[in-house]
Amino acid sequence: MNELPDFTAVSQQAAALDLASTPAELHGGLCGWLAAGGVDRSDWLAAVLADPALGAPEAGSALDRLRAVTAAQLEDRDFAFELLLSPASASVLERTGALFDWCRGFLGGFGLASGTRPSLSEEGQEALEDMARLAASNSEEFEAGDEDEDALAEIEEFVRVAVLLLHGDCVMAVRHRKSLN
């Protein structure tokens, strides 16, 4: 139960619900929401997409598993957190676009859950600013060369670690402070 659902399954369910977000953007939004301290709830789509009319995904569905696995991965002490992005068989442009969509979704979810001035460490603030720069980027700067494959892998790893850092600042540090009091 610690493996993210298939990208295609999430895409199909999102399309069936007429969601205008890509799977990467949905996952980014969910991660942003949870990393900023948003409540892990079954009706997460309503919170993350700021649309109270959206109901909870069906229990056990791809979108429900996406929430459950993501919440568990963020809490995992072995840093098993993963990003839901286009499959490795997709082009570099497609995968890069998905990563930038993911970052845009993350910023939206993070902002909804944290409000205007989250309490972040200096490293957390820098990570959030870097995520904003990635969200403002476009995939047209990448080509299909080995250097771009390597650069994409490095950016994905940076984003993964940045999410864990921000989750640490907004959730784990708060939880730790509460346990000390």
Side-chain angles (χ1 to χ4, degrees):
M1 177 72 179
N2 60 354
E3 195 169 307
L4 291 173
D6 181 67
F7 186 88
T8 302
V10 173
S11 180
Q12 290 170 344
Q13 189 173 8
L17 294 173
D18 290 326
L19 301 179
S21 300
T22 67
E25 191 175 16
L26 282 173
H27 188 241
L30 172 61
C31 291
W33 173 264
L34 294 171
V39 176
D40 175 18
R41 50 192 248 197
S42 62
D43 65 339
W44 67 272
L45 287 171
V48 170
L49 297 178
D51 184 352
L54 289 171
E58 184 178 323
S61 68
L63 288 173
D64 183 55
R65 288 191 331 271
L66 183 67
R67 176 203 50 81
V69 170
T70 299
Q73 285 184 351
L74 284 171
E75 296 290 328
D76 188 320
R77 293 184 184 264
D78 292 329
F79 306 109
F81 174 69
E82 299 175 63
L83 309 177
L84 181 69
L85 299 171
S86 298
S89 60
S91 72
V92 173
L93 288 175
E94 201 175 321
R95 293 188 343 259
T96 303
L99 178 61
F100 296 154
D101 282 349
W102 195 100
C103 291
R104 283 187 281 280
F106 181 87
L107 292 176
F110 192 87
L112 285 170
S114 70
T116 57
R117 302 295 285 159
S119 178
L120 299 176
S121 65
E122 186 176 326
E123 295 85 3
Q125 185 63 43
E126 287 176 17
L128 192 61
E129 290 168 4
D130 288 341
M131 294 275 276
R133 280 191 279 285
L134 289 170
S137 299
N138 67 57
S139 59
E140 294 168 7
E141 299 167 11
F142 282 79
E143 296 174 15
D146 289 341
E147 289 178 9
D148 287 326
E149 288 282 347
D150 293 343
L152 181 57
E154 287 179 27
I155 295 168
E156 286 176 16
E157 181 62 12
F158 166 79
V159 169
R160 192 183 77 76
V161 171
V163 171
L164 293 171
L165 173 67
L166 291 164
H167 182 261
D169 280 1
C170 296
V171 176
M172 303 305 273
V174 171
R175 195 178 298 157
H176 182 69
R177 282 192 298 271
K178 283 182 182 176
S179 71
L180 292 175
N181 294 328

